[in-house]
Amino acid sequence: MSSPDLLYSELEEDLRATVRRLLRDRCDWTAVLARCETDEPYDLALWRTLAGELGLGALLVPEELGGAGASAREVAVVAEEIGRAVAPVPFLGNVLATAALVACAEPPAELADGSRIGTVAVGLTTPPQAPFPQAVKADGSALTGAVPAVVDLEVADLVVVPAIDADGPALYLVDTSAAGVTRTPTTPLDLTRRFGTLDLDGAPGRRLAAGAEAERALRQALLTAAGMLASEQVGLAQHCLDSTVDYAKTRYQFGRQIGSFQAVKHRLADLWVGVSSGRAVARNAADALARDTEPELAVAIAQAHCSDLVVLAAEEHLQLHGGIGMTWEHPAHLYLGRAKSSQLAFGIAETHRSRIGELADLPTP
Amino acid sequence: MTADATEIRGRVAEFLAAHDPRSTDRLEFLRARFDAGLAWVHFPAGLGGLGAARELQAVVDTAFAEAGAPDNQPQLNVIGLGMAGPTILRFGTDEQRRRYLRPLWTGEETWCQLFSEPGAGSDLAALSTRAVRDGEDWVVDGQKVWTSLAHRARWAILVARSDPDQPKHKGLSYFICDMTAPGVEVRPLRQITGEAEFNEVFLTGVRIPDSQRLGEVGQGWQVAMSTLMNERVAIGGRTPPREGGMIGEAAEAWRANPDKRTHGLHDRLLRLWVDAEATRLTSIRLRQQLAIGEPGPEGSAVKVSFAEQNQAITGFELEFQGEAGLSYDDWTFRQPDFASLTKRGAGFRYLRAKGNSIEGGTTEILRNVIAERILGLPQEIRTDKDRPWKELPR
């Protein structure tokens, strides 16, 4: 097996620069904070620019399905920037839904151009290796059941719903404006990424895939989203490191910059070490997804590492900012909320380690 | 394969046709390989190389290995190949390069490094071994420590203080020291593992001809830094396969001993496994950055992570062994030719790994390096920078 490409291509760096510029102009943290207290916590205009005008929504879609034919490598770069800005956009739901549709060979045209928003009806804490969900039953094309903790649900137009029908596991596409669909938002720990409970009461759905194909498509969607989340976590951790380093150079106490104290320097150096290795494992996951080389193991490694790294980074960010970090006026809490809830997403580190135990032949007692 | 790689493979094939590895004397074979420019291809022609790209070395080494050719046993001369060689190439005179590089590469002459002292480890520039000019010679007096391979070395690279009136970084000079010269005394330094991988070296009135100086008088610090940069490159340059390091030992033990597994140890092993894999991928990423000429600072991160992980893994190994973890394989005093962790018991690995966060730059110093040089945080307050060395408290 050839070794993974863990660097960024020139094209990927260009993509990063474009996304970063847009997010800097439209999505600074004061705007994010102000928005999260309104009735419109998501910036859908920003999302339409990102997904439609910049074409990010089509990156995961192969050319034969009308997409850009890029790969998880490019999407991962976008994910890093979204994490860096804690951008309030339905990115994760979109990745889930797009990957599920692509795995069913279904062209996700409206998701790709940003005109509609999608998600997958699984609890956000579901790990890729979880058994197929049993909560929704399909009777003909009528779906009934409830799924809590569905990411980006409140803004989703389309939901890919795993359901059990007469033939066993299946995936259905449900329009959230249809009769029998109720969405109940949950008050989130992460103010920048929301979730809710999807209630289906005989809601109409169109079957996308059945049996083993449905199981495989759902697993692929979760795997892809978990892999992209690792890159988002690296971007967020990198921001926390950068911001804390800047602060440590400008904040004076005891007549010195606080960054001149070894107690502070060494913690930041350790965080830098963590982010460096986080970047390597997240790139490895993106590359493995793009080339289909042991993606399950690569994603499990990336999630086992990055989901704890991101929390450490957000907690150090807060602690080393001292009192200001504890206040509403500083964005540390936005980053902490996103970090902690993203640690839970798709399974905590221990869950991924268990999977690694199976994949790498390190069996349980 | 690139055109360069094809061409260089052709050269190797040509060489092998003229020097059958089965019938040619080992040393003759190695000398001829050096003379053909196929020793270290990125070195200049005439000095064992072809002035080719560094990454072509792997092509050459693979081709020789496939042909069953003898290698120069690089593990027996790590300091020579990794540090002395590149430093002599960069700072040596033509005469020095011609004299030292060939027997260094063939392994006929082993090298060691006389840098650290009992009073100057992490603060290397504080060293006090004196070099006093006497006609065409320098007369050297002092004591060095942690000297790997000194008991086998023919030559040493040496840093000594040539001007105590200068501030500590400015009064140093760099020499090639003959380890067989009168006044050089090597004493094994027994370590916590029971063996003496290192030595103390006492230098008493050792005469070194000025022609064996590397770089200018007073330029020793810059030359030494160049040597140590090469050390970091050497550490970061080799990438083990998955489970290639210490973690492989622990994973194998786990697979072989189902009766000893517990749930708590399982999660610990998996944590260590993930950490080892993260470090391995970080070092692959570093290599890829180096290959496109973009030297990344990840080398320091790899060193810090590697040290922490080796210590955690070897500690885990002993706990996993249970009763067997109470015993030690062998306390017999010996002086190994090179450090190998895998050929000894878990107890040895546990003790030896303690050195990983000390040798080649302590973790504390590396954290300062990362914080100051990479993150740009303020430097430690230093009171010794501009004062003459002789006035510093010791």
Side-chain angles (χ1 to χ4, degrees):
Chain A
M1 191 179 62
S2 62
S3 64
D5 175 4
L6 303 180
L7 304 181
Y8 300 100
S9 70
E10 214 169 298
L11 225 63
E12 287 162 2
E13 288 294 6
D14 289 347
L15 177 64
R16 178 199 302 288
T18 308
V19 174
R20 187 178 293 186
R21 205 175 314 120
L22 179 75
L23 294 176
R24 196 179 50 220
D25 293 346
R26 302 252 303 260
C27 184
D28 75 58
W29 73 266
T30 51
V32 176
L33 182 63
R35 173 174 294 280
C36 72
E37 293 182 282
T38 68
D39 293 339
E40 287 182 28
Y42 281 97
D43 189 343
L44 297 183
L46 174 64
W47 175 246
R48 278 188 288 274
T49 308
L50 277 167
E53 288 172 37
L54 294 183
L56 308 185
L59 288 176
L60 270 182
V61 185
E63 282 167 2
E64 61 268 24
L65 294 179
S71 76
R73 288 181 55 90
E74 288 84 357
V75 180
V77 172
V78 177
E80 283 183 30
E81 294 307 309
I82 284 175
R84 178 187 283 271
V86 285
V89 290
F91 170 74
L92 209 52
N94 180 72
V95 169
L96 276 169
T98 306
L101 290 168
V102 167
C104 296
E106 178 85 11
E110 293 172 308
L111 300 188
D113 68 16
S115 57
R116 302 189 84 186
I117 291 161
T119 189
V120 173
V122 291
L124 185 56
T125 59
T126 310
Q129 69 273 19
F132 198 84
Q134 309 283 315
V136 178
K137 308 293 180 207
D139 182 4
S141 63
L143 306 178
T144 302
V147 186
V150 176
V151 71
D152 297 335
L153 180 67
E154 62 192 271
V155 292
D157 305 294
L158 298 169
V159 185
V160 176
V161 181
I164 304 298
D165 65 17
D167 303 327
L171 292 182
Y172 286 81
L173 189 62
V174 171
D175 195 312
T176 55
S177 63
V181 178
T182 311
R183 290 175 284 170
T184 313
T186 310
T187 305
L189 176 68
D190 175 4
L191 292 165
T192 65
R193 177 153 59 212
R194 299 175 176 240
F195 56 94
T197 299
L198 178 71
D199 280 293
L200 301 170
D201 182 12
R206 177 164 70 82
R207 195 160 91 165
L208 297 165
E213 197 200 340
E215 292 183 285
R216 190 185 52 78
L218 178 63
R219 187 172 280 219
Q220 183 62 32
L222 288 166
L223 199 62
T224 305
M228 297 305 92
L229 184 65
S231 281
E232 189 194 282
Q233 289 167 330
V234 169
L236 194 153
Q238 180 76 57
H239 166 87
C240 289
L241 172 63
D242 293 347
S243 149
T244 312
V245 166
D246 286 348
Y247 186 71
K249 289 178 192 171
T250 50
R251 170 76 174 170
Y252 279 75
Q253 294 280 272
F254 307 101
R256 294 163 63 174
Q257 292 145 284
I258 61 168
S260 69
F261 292 103
Q262 271 196 349
V264 173
K265 284 166 97 160
H266 285 191
R267 283 171 75 156
L268 288 170
D270 282 342
L271 188 53
W272 181 86
V273 171
V275 174
S276 296
S277 56
R279 191 173 297 283
V281 295
R283 279 318 276 168
N284 185 53
D287 194 67
L289 284 164
R291 298 194 301 152
D292 201 22
T293 49
E294 291 189 279
E296 223 190 325
L297 181 60
V299 168
I301 292 166
Q303 273 294 303
H305 188 76
C306 296
S307 70
D308 285 351
L309 163 72
V310 73
V311 172
L312 173 71
E315 289 177 349
E316 291 290 75
H317 180 221
L318 195 152
Q319 171 67 22
L320 295 173
H321 273 79
I324 187 73
M326 250 329 260
T327 68
W328 194 257
E329 295 154 53
H330 189 276
H333 62 101
L334 294 176
Y335 284 89
L336 182 63
R338 172 73 74 100
K340 192 67 195 177
S341 86
S342 91
Q343 182 189 41
L344 276 52
F346 308 121
I348 57 175
E350 191 196 344
T351 306
H352 293 287
R353 287 196 293 270
S354 293
R355 182 65 185 140
I356 290 166
E358 294 164 11
L359 294 170
D361 184 27
L362 298 165
T364 49
Chain B
M1 201 182 286
T2 64
D4 286 354
T6 312
E7 189 200 318
I8 222 152
R9 263 187 168 279
R11 276 180 186 257
V12 174
E14 212 173 287
F15 179 87
L16 287 167
H19 303 82
D20 186 344
R22 282 162 304 185
S23 54
T24 313
D25 171 71
R26 181 177 174 278
L27 208 51
E28 288 312 315
F29 183 91
L30 290 171
R31 286 174 179 160
R33 182 176 158 184
F34 183 94
D35 295 339
L38 296 169
W40 34 41
V41 294
H42 57 289
F43 270 46
L47 295 173
L50 299 165
R54 187 189 277 262
E55 54 267 27
L56 290 175
Q57 186 65 39
V59 177
V60 173
D61 289 345
T62 308
F64 274 106
E66 280 168 1
D71 70 9
N72 61 343
Q73 298 180 312
Q75 74 277 13
L76 298 182
N77 198 12
V78 282
I79 291 161
L81 291 163
M83 292 168 241
T87 307
I88 291 167
L89 177 69
R90 176 157 171 211
F91 290 96
T93 61
D94 284 343
E95 205 184 333
Q96 288 168 340
R97 292 165 171 174
R98 277 195 302 273
R99 164 63 188 87
Y100 296 112
L101 290 177
R102 190 175 186 248
L104 184 161
W105 186 82
T106 59
E108 288 164 82
E109 292 178 350
T110 304
W111 287 68
C112 66
Q113 174 173 298
L114 297 172
F115 280 22
S116 291
E117 298 185 2
S122 291
D123 186 8
L124 177 62
L127 61 85
S128 56
T129 291
R130 291 287 306 275
V132 177
R133 186 74 191 238
D134 181 27
E136 278 308 296
D137 291 343
W138 293 81
V139 179
V140 178
D141 288 276
Q143 183 197 342
K144 297 288 179 176
V145 75
W146 314 128
T147 314
S148 319
L149 298 170
H151 54 288
R152 296 199 325 113
R154 174 67 182 82
W155 299 102
I157 41 180
L158 163 75
V159 188
R161 186 161 306 282
S162 48
D163 187 351
D165 294 321
Q166 291 279 344
K168 65 178 184 178
H169 292 93
K170 292 180 182 157
L172 303 172
S173 297
Y174 195 113
F175 302 95
I176 292 169
C177 175
D178 183 346
M179 292 297 285
T180 65
V184 176
E185 189 197 347
V186 177
R187 293 186 204 162
L189 182 62
R190 199 170 187 202
Q191 292 149 245
I192 60 172
T193 55
E195 65 177 29
E197 184 192 332
F198 300 113
N199 302 274
E200 297 177 291
V201 178
F202 294 85
L203 304 162
T204 312
V206 178
R207 297 193 80 84
I208 299 180
D210 189 54
S211 61
Q212 283 170 217
R213 175 166 46 78
L214 276 179
E216 302 300 316
V217 174
Q219 202 194 359
W221 182 251
Q222 289 87 319
V223 184
M225 284 302 101
S226 164
T227 302
L228 295 176
M229 296 287 209
N230 281 306
E231 179 179 24
R232 299 267 157 82
V233 170
I235 288 169
R238 218 184 108 264
T239 304
R242 184 183 289 158
E243 290 192 9
M246 282 298 91
I247 193 65
E249 303 282 326
E252 276 313 309
W254 182 267
R255 290 175 189 128
N257 296 283
D259 53 310
K260 291 186 173 158
R261 296 174 196 159
T262 69
H263 288 284
L265 287 169
H266 189 229
D267 193 56
R268 254 178 75 200
L269 173 66
L270 290 170
R271 280 174 192 273
L272 296 168
W273 196 91
V274 171
D275 287 348
E277 190 59 7
T279 301
R280 187 180 77 89
L281 289 164
T282 310
S283 89
I284 292 177
R285 190 159 193 273
L286 172 70
R287 266 206 328 186
Q288 292 177 346
Q289 283 178 316
L290 286 170
I292 59 166
E294 195 184 296
E298 269 87 352
S300 303
V302 171
K303 165 80 168 67
V304 168
S305 307
F306 167 81
E308 268 175 17
Q309 285 159 25
N310 274 357
Q311 291 169 1
I313 292 166
T314 54
F316 166 88
E317 270 197 276
L318 287 181
E319 288 167 68
F320 180 63
Q321 287 194 354
E323 271 178 15
L326 296 170
S327 55
Y328 194 73
D329 61 347
D330 186 3
W331 286 110
T332 308
F333 178 86
R334 64 183 110 180
Q335 289 184 277
D337 287 341
F338 61 98
S340 171
L341 293 176
T342 48
K343 294 196 173 74
R344 292 285 303 264
F348 175 88
R349 284 197 281 281
Y350 173 73
L351 295 176
R352 181 60 187 83
K354 294 289 169 263
N356 291 164
S357 54
I358 300 169
E359 61 205 342
T362 65
T363 295
E364 288 69 25
I365 290 289
L366 288 175
R367 284 191 180 120
N368 276 356
V369 168
I370 292 167
E372 293 175 10
R373 301 208 199 136
I374 297 169
L375 299 178
L377 290 168
Q379 294 215 334
E380 285 302 297
I381 292 164
R382 283 167 197 153
T383 56
D384 57 356
K385 232 175 164 175
D386 301 316
R387 287 164 67 191
W389 176 80
K390 64 180 184 188
E391 292 173 13
L392 297 178
R394 274 189 296 282

